[in-house]
Structure formats: C-alpha cells, structure tokens
Amino acid sequence: TDRKKLHTAPVGQVFRLRPFHVLVATGGGYAGYRKYEDYKLEQLEKRGIEVPVKLASEWEVALYKSVPTRLLSRAWGRLNQVELPTWLRKPVYSLYIWTFGVNMKEAAVEDLHHYRNLSEFFRRKLKPQARPVCCVHSVISPSDGKILNFGQVKNCEVEQVKGVTYSLESFLGPRISTEEMHFSQAATGNSFQQQLVTKEGNELYHCVIYLAPGDYHCFHSPTDWTVSHRRHFPGSLMSVNPGVARWIKELFCHNERVVLTGDWKHGFFSLTAVGATNVGSIRIYFDQDLHTNSPSYSKGSYNDFSFISNNNKEGIPMRKGEHLGEFNLGSTIVLIFEAPKDFKFNLKAGQKIRFGEALGSL
C-alpha cells in the first residue's frame, strides 16, 4: 500500500510521430543514401570511367534541404569549442588525421596536445615555408583543394562541375553601384556578364576549388587586388563535395556564401567562400561585422557592406598570398575575374592543388 502508483501512457501516445521527426528521419536517410551514391561515383572516376550527369529533381532538392543542416552546423560549431582533456586530444586528433589523410608535418605546431579543442586543430597554421607563393604567375591558388572546374564564363552561366551550371547573376547577386565598382557606363543595358567586364577585349574567367575536410582550412589572397564590397547570402548548408555538385544544379546559389568583390590590374575580381554542411562558420579576417549561419535569416535575402568610405576611398588592399579568411571544416572557393583574352590556366580538372601554386597567367 505504500508503493507509488505507476502512471503509464497509451502506447500510441508514447510512439506518436510528429511531422518534424518524420521529415528529419526521411531527409537524413536520403542524405545518407546520397553519400553512398557519391562514394560509388568516386570509385568509378578513379577507374577512369566517365560518369553521366544525372541532376536532382525539385522534390529531391526540397527533401535534401529539409534536413536541418544549419542547426546541425551550429551544434557542430559548439562541439568544436569544447575543450578536450589533455589525455583525450591525441586519440581524437589521430583518428581524424588517419581518416582524412592530414599531413601534420606541415603544421606550425605538430604536438597534438597543443590544440585545446577541435576548432583550434581545424584552424591550425602551417610552417612558414610549407606553402611557397609562386611569384611568376599572376593568379595563385588561394587554398589547398581539388580543382572542380575552370575556364571562361559563357552566356552568363558558370560550370560548378563539368556539365552542371549555375547562373552568374544568381550567384553574385544584383550589380553593385558604379560608385563602389569601376563599371563601364557603356555596359548599362547589356547582359550581367558584359556589365562586369570593365575593359574592352577582356573576358570573364572562373575557377572552382573544393576543400576537403583534411585540407588546410585557411584561404589567402589569390593575387594583388583591392576588396571594395562584401555581400553575404544566408542560405542552406548542403554538402558541396564533387558528387553533390554534380547532382544539384545551382548548388552554390542555394548555399550560404560570402562574396568579396573588387578590382585588380586587369579589372573586375571576386572571391566567394561557399559554406557547406558543418561549415556554417566563414570568417574574413578584416571584416569583424560578418556573422555567418545566424539562427534567424530571410530566405533569398542578402546583406551588403562597403569597404569604401569617406575615410577610405581605396577599399581593402590585399597582397598575393596574404591571409584572407578561414572555414570551420572545409568547403569551396569560387574565383570569378576579368582578364585579357590571352589569359591561360595552368590546370587540369580534378587535380589536387595547394595554396601558393599557380592557377594561371598571361
């Protein structure tokens, strides 16, 4: 008689599934299935077998976007900030090194006990001579990574991988005012691509570099240029690995990204850092007002910030190889720039490249 009564709920009530749970489970399962498909495609590519392009349908993209990747990325970011006990650091980092093939001999600090948390380990610096900057070529790779695509921009469309494109205007957003960019007045009324070209006889070029989780996570200035404007697009945080880039058209336009625009000696120049799953954090060293992966954002919106003011008419000057920013884990860098017609890339699609190596020159 002294025993407490045990109150039970009906079985149906205990196991009642809410729409959110169904959505997450379905979306997560489908994302896992896509990862397996990506792995199979990578194996075929390694064997030299050409993989036909198969784009995702609208419902597949919607289902993938239903996965709460922004929430997961913020949770991942908080987890990265948790300080690990000294005795646990070496086993955890060693597992990561083994999984993703990290070369710690290049790190400025090789002792794994030095890194208090995963965030510090991801953002590790390199030894001064680990990445010599090429002085001969005019444009260098801003980061370590894999070349997904490169070449001339044609018909206002840019290739994210071979055979899969995205809109140049959707990616960069509306044209910036002529006060901040040196646009030609004669270009008004022409296509968006033509409006970006400031000098007669020049062409618009692009290059896409994918940073894997095991790559060096900082990125640098690819040339001598001046940054005059920053545009931040809040958005999804879908994976940007080559398999997904081949599957989802305009993937880079869906994802959160930070577009830096300015000019170099040949005209228009831009560098865009594209976010991805677990890479909601994009940091630009000279831009303290930038905050990415905010919990509240308006779909399709963007935020502009000008580095040209009454006190600073020139913007932010960047030297080739200078530290520019960093990702939390790994992602994608997209370069879109103007150059004379005799500009040549020294690249092959799919090749691995390291920061400081030549991308192309005149």
Side-chain angles (χ1 to χ4, degrees):
T1 57
D2 294 333
R3 293 181 181 176
K4 294 181 180 180
K5 293 182 179 181
L6 179 63
H7 296 277
T8 59
V11 175
Q13 183 177 342
V14 173
F15 294 100
R16 184 173 56 189
L17 293 176
R18 301 181 185 277
F20 176 75
H21 298 155
V22 174
L23 202 60
V24 171
T26 306
Y30 192 75
Y33 166 75
R34 288 306 314 173
K35 287 286 186 180
Y36 174 68
E37 289 293 310
D38 295 341
Y39 171 77
K40 291 198 299 183
L41 290 176
E42 288 178 6
Q43 297 305 309
L44 290 174
E45 286 182 343
K46 288 180 179 179
R47 292 162 54 186
I49 301 174
E50 186 173 350
V51 181
V53 174
K54 183 182 179 182
L55 294 177
S57 61
E58 290 186 9
W59 73 265
E60 287 178 309
V61 175
L63 182 59
Y64 190 3
K65 293 175 74 172
S66 71
V67 180
T69 51
R70 295 179 62 85
L71 178 63
L72 292 172
S73 296
R74 286 195 294 273
W76 177 255
R78 293 191 181 97
L79 178 63
N80 288 348
Q81 299 294 332
V82 176
E83 184 169 341
L84 297 176
T86 305
W87 61 269
L88 189 58
R89 294 174 188 176
K90 188 171 183 178
V92 171
Y93 301 147
S94 295
L95 177 62
Y96 185 90
I97 291 168
W98 176 79
T99 303
F100 296 107
V102 178
N103 183 5
M104 283 303 293
K105 291 182 179 180
E106 298 175 334
V109 180
E110 296 184 39
D111 183 12
L112 298 180
H113 296 100
H114 169 80
Y115 303 100
R116 294 174 298 176
N117 51 48
L118 285 167
S119 182
E120 286 189 4
F121 179 72
F122 294 146
R123 295 182 288 105
R124 63 194 177 276
K125 304 301 181 184
L126 298 180
K127 292 174 181 176
Q129 302 302 320
R131 296 289 188 276
V133 175
C134 177
C135 299
V136 178
H137 293 79
S138 55
V139 184
I140 62 168
S141 175
S143 65
D144 290 6
K146 179 181 180 181
I147 301 296
L148 293 190
N149 213 298
F150 62 92
Q152 282 190 19
V153 177
K154 298 179 179 178
N155 302 320
C156 294
E157 291 283 323
V158 189
E159 280 195 321
Q160 59 190 27
V161 293
K162 185 178 179 181
V164 182
T165 63
Y166 57 93
S167 164
L168 178 65
E169 186 170 6
S170 297
F171 182 70
L172 295 179
R175 196 184 76 163
I176 303 165
S177 67
T178 55
E179 295 178 359
E180 298 180 31
M181 296 294 297
H182 305 296
F183 288 109
S184 170
Q185 293 295 330
T188 304
N190 293 339
S191 70
F192 184 80
Q193 178 179 338
Q194 292 171 325
Q195 291 173 16
L196 295 181
V197 178
T198 63
K199 298 180 181 180
E200 188 176 352
N202 281 1
E203 297 286 350
L204 209 59
Y205 297 87
H206 75 99
C207 182
V208 183
I209 305 171
Y210 166 68
L211 288 75
D215 288 326
Y216 169 55
H217 292 79
C218 297
F219 51 93
H220 301 246
S221 176
T223 191
D224 295 334
W225 65 307
T226 300
V227 183
S228 58
H229 188 271
R230 177 258 290 163
R231 177 168 284 164
H232 171 217
F233 290 86
S236 302
L237 288 173
M238 295 184 284
S239 172
V240 292
N241 73 54
V244 177
R246 188 184 295 107
W247 179 55
I248 298 180
K249 183 178 174 63
E250 298 204 333
L251 171 65
F252 299 155
C253 298
H254 289 294
N255 273 17
E256 181 156 4
R257 59 197 182 278
V258 176
V259 182
L260 300 178
T261 52
D263 58 276
W264 69 319
K265 61 183 178 181
H266 298 297
F268 173 80
F269 199 96
S270 73
L271 180 149
T272 301
V274 183
T277 308
N278 293 336
V279 198
S281 174
I282 302 172
R283 183 183 174 193
I284 304 298
Y285 293 138
F286 58 75
D287 188 357
Q288 301 302 316
D289 296 323
L290 175 65
H291 301 286
T292 58
N293 197 11
S294 173
S296 59
Y297 76 102
S298 177
K299 185 178 180 181
S301 65
Y302 59 85
N303 306 303
D304 282 348
F305 185 85
S306 175
F307 296 110
I308 296 178
S309 63
N310 293 331
N311 298 327
N312 179 20
K313 295 290 186 180
E314 300 299 325
I316 308 295
M318 297 296 300
R319 302 295 296 175
K320 183 167 64 173
E322 185 177 351
H323 278 85
L324 183 55
E326 62 188 36
F327 290 112
N328 188 45
L329 185 60
S331 193
T332 297
I333 295 285
V334 179
L335 301 179
I336 298 176
F337 57 93
E338 174 186 358
K341 291 182 178 180
D342 57 349
F343 181 87
K344 300 294 182 182
F345 283 102
N346 301 314
L347 302 171
K348 292 182 180 179
Q351 80 171 71
K352 291 287 292 183
I353 197 166
R354 304 203 302 177
F355 155 62
E357 295 179 347
L359 285 184
S361 189
L362 297 170

